[in-house]
Amino acid sequence: MNVGVTARDLWKTYGSNIVLKGVNFEVHGLTLIHGPNGAGKTTLLRIIAGLDLPSSGSISVYGFKPGTIEARRITTVILERPLLFEELTVGENLGLFSKITGNSLEGLALEAYEKLGIQKFLKYKVRDLSHGWRRRVDVVRALLSNPKLLLLDEVNTGFDVDSIKSLGELLASAAERGLTVIATTPSLSGLESIASKASFKCYVEGGILKCD
């Protein structure tokens, strides 16, 4: 199986604050990165997504440098704050992103749409949804781009027990289809349905990452 993301001696500092310390890993399939708040999880995810630069070391996404056109074409990210237009309805958002990506609601995006129960909120404006439902819609939005790499920050936030189970099934399905999926969380507690399907579980604390 092709390695999706590779990091070599990756460091990130902000002034005198060291956030990541010599991170090394090669992952594919479904990976869960867990650790306390402030441990460096989101910073690492942002570097993989090309939204931030490492201070030193190297990282590649299917052989491409994050942030390049090639990497951006195959990467999609779901941040804690959904990337949706609040004044538009759910249906209008999905229609807009379908036009932007040139892809219709099929494959994994359709699976997410059905598993996460989005159809009953199509006429609701995003601003009127709870944070949890916004996050579920954002999952569908992200998958409309047909990515090879899916990044999901704070997978525990905004999802209840039932939706976590559905999300776990969806992420496992994505990995089975050949995607690399990397999700972060402060704790694995309550995420057993996702952790049991992960190819790699990594723990980060004090900027040091260890995977098994």
Side-chain angles (χ1 to χ4, degrees):
M1 182 177 289
N2 292 332
V3 174
V5 179
T6 301
R8 293 281 182 266
D9 196 25
L10 195 69
W11 290 73
K12 181 62 179 180
T13 61
Y14 294 101
S16 60
N17 183 28
I18 302 176
V19 181
L20 296 175
K21 301 178 180 179
V23 169
N24 292 281
F25 64 79
E26 290 184 352
V27 297
H28 55 78
L30 174 57
T31 298
L32 269 179
I33 300 177
H34 62 109
N37 291 329
K41 303 183 301 298
T42 298
T43 297
L44 178 58
L45 210 68
R46 287 179 61 84
I47 290 173
I48 296 171
L51 300 175
D52 204 348
L53 295 173
S55 298
S56 64
S58 66
I59 188 161
S60 67
V61 173
Y62 286 95
F64 301 113
K65 183 178 179 180
T68 60
I69 293 176
E70 294 84 358
R72 288 183 181 277
R73 283 175 178 164
I74 59 175
T75 302
T76 193
V77 60
I78 303 170
L79 300 173
E80 189 173 0
R81 181 178 179 181
L83 301 176
L84 301 168
F85 293 95
E86 294 190 355
E87 296 302 316
L88 299 181
T89 66
V90 170
E92 288 168 342
N93 266 277
L94 297 182
L96 176 60
F97 284 105
S98 180
K99 288 181 180 179
I100 291 172
T101 62
N103 299 319
S104 58
L105 188 64
E106 58 185 14
L108 270 174
L110 177 59
E111 187 175 341
Y113 176 84
E114 294 174 342
K115 282 184 179 296
L116 298 177
I118 305 302
Q119 56 270 26
K120 56 189 175 184
F121 289 102
L122 286 178
K123 295 184 179 180
Y124 284 67
K125 287 191 175 182
V126 169
R127 70 181 182 191
D128 295 326
L129 299 180
S130 68
H131 181 62
W133 279 106
R134 293 184 192 193
R135 292 214 79 191
R136 291 176 223 190
V137 175
D138 205 33
V139 172
V140 181
R141 183 276 309 165
L143 291 172
L144 275 169
S145 65
N146 288 336
K148 292 180 67 176
L149 172 62
L150 173 63
L151 304 173
L152 176 54
D153 196 24
E154 302 292 347
V155 67
N156 59 303
T157 301
F159 296 97
D160 57 23
V161 175
D162 290 336
S163 59
I164 280 289
K165 182 178 178 182
S166 297
L167 183 64
E169 294 171 353
L170 179 68
L171 298 183
S173 177
E176 289 171 0
R177 293 174 185 240
L179 274 70
T180 295
V181 181
I182 301 177
T184 72
T185 177
S187 170
L188 296 181
S189 177
L191 299 179
E192 291 80 8
S193 61
I194 297 179
S196 64
K197 299 175 176 66
S199 301
F200 302 91
K201 290 186 281 291
C202 303
Y203 181 75
V204 61
E205 185 170 11
I208 299 174
L209 184 82
K210 295 182 179 180
C211 298
D212 56 26

